[in-house]
Amino acid sequence: MLKEATISKQKIVNTFTELSEESSLEQISITDIIKKANLSRPTFYYYYSNQDNLVETTLSKILDKVSSILQKYMTYQKGVLTEMLRYLKENHKLCRTLMTHIPNINELICEFIIETILNYDIENVTELMERSYHIPVKYSSEVYVITIVTILALWLKEGCIESPEGTANTLLEAVIIKAK
């Protein structure tokens, strides 16, 4: 039963992703989703209260997974970044859908990155940013976060053409924080 529930929930997300590649969010109805997924309306409403809830829940699931990957190593070295990027690449169609259909997605991702960095007790992270970028911390933290978001958004938008390893290198070069 649990496996069937997981399959139904995944069918809804996959179908939503497919439909969003063909139509705008406003043009997609719950009826469209359930017909294409071959599921009943009560099944959809068992998991999601409405289409906005589907989008929010899906984004939250992705961010939770990214967070769990990043928690493995608080220094965000190449290995953990590559693992995160592999996950995003595996889900790039869904990520692109969310990027297209959530108006303030970049703002949400920026907040997520800031919270992630500040909550993981990386020693002196704000001082390291300020020293690395040679500008006050209020600007250096913004530059740091916007750089990450820009690289990730462009990589996803272009269909993850570069390898996760190559993109991890790009991120590490772009947002280098010097310890000394």
Side-chain angles (χ1 to χ4, degrees):
M1 179 68 176
L2 183 60
K3 188 175 181 180
E4 288 177 27
T6 303
I7 291 170
S8 294
K9 193 171 186 181
Q10 193 58 50
K11 276 177 104 176
I12 293 168
V13 172
N14 291 345
T15 301
F16 170 73
T17 302
E18 287 175 33
L19 290 170
S20 67
E21 290 175 4
E22 303 162 6
S23 307
S24 72
L25 189 61
E26 298 77 27
Q27 295 173 319
I28 301 169
S29 69
I30 292 169
T31 302
D32 296 333
I33 296 169
I34 62 173
K35 277 184 178 178
K36 186 164 181 133
N38 199 25
L39 297 170
S40 68
R41 188 170 290 277
T43 300
F44 179 92
Y45 286 111
Y46 177 78
Y47 298 109
Y48 306 104
S49 57
N50 55 39
Q51 193 170 335
D52 289 339
N53 180 246
L54 166 61
V55 172
E56 291 165 12
T57 303
T58 303
L59 176 61
S60 181
K61 180 184 168 204
I62 288 174
L63 294 179
D64 287 348
K65 178 64 177 175
V66 166
S67 183
S68 73
I69 292 168
L70 294 177
Q71 283 179 358
K72 292 179 183 177
Y73 308 100
M74 289 186 258
T75 56
Y76 306 123
Q77 294 302 313
K78 185 178 178 182
V80 73
L81 290 176
T82 301
E83 184 179 344
M84 176 199 69
L85 291 165
R86 281 188 188 124
Y87 170 75
L88 293 175
K89 185 173 184 170
E90 289 169 10
N91 294 282
H92 81 277
K93 286 183 179 179
L94 180 57
C95 291
R96 283 196 342 224
T97 295
L98 295 172
M99 289 168 51
T100 304
H101 296 300
I102 299 175
N104 60 337
I105 187 74
N106 284 352
E107 195 176 304
L108 294 172
I109 300 299
C110 286
E111 289 172 16
F112 171 78
I113 292 170
I114 289 168
E115 286 177 26
T116 301
I117 291 167
L118 296 179
N119 288 336
Y120 289 140
D121 296 328
I122 300 171
E123 194 172 325
N124 303 319
V125 70
T126 54
E127 291 87 5
L128 290 171
M129 283 182 199
E130 188 173 32
R131 196 176 7 198
S132 296
Y133 289 102
H134 307 290
I135 55 178
V137 72
K138 70 179 182 179
Y139 301 115
S140 61
S141 60
E142 287 292 318
V143 169
Y144 181 86
V145 170
I146 293 297
T147 301
I148 294 169
V149 171
T150 301
I151 290 169
L152 289 176
L154 185 58
W155 183 67
L156 288 164
K157 181 181 173 188
E158 292 181 343
C160 307
I161 296 169
E162 293 92 2
S163 69
E165 295 81 2
T167 305
N169 285 335
T170 300
L171 280 168
L172 289 170
E173 287 296 319
V175 295
I176 192 163
I177 295 182
K178 299 172 188 138
K180 294 197 178 206

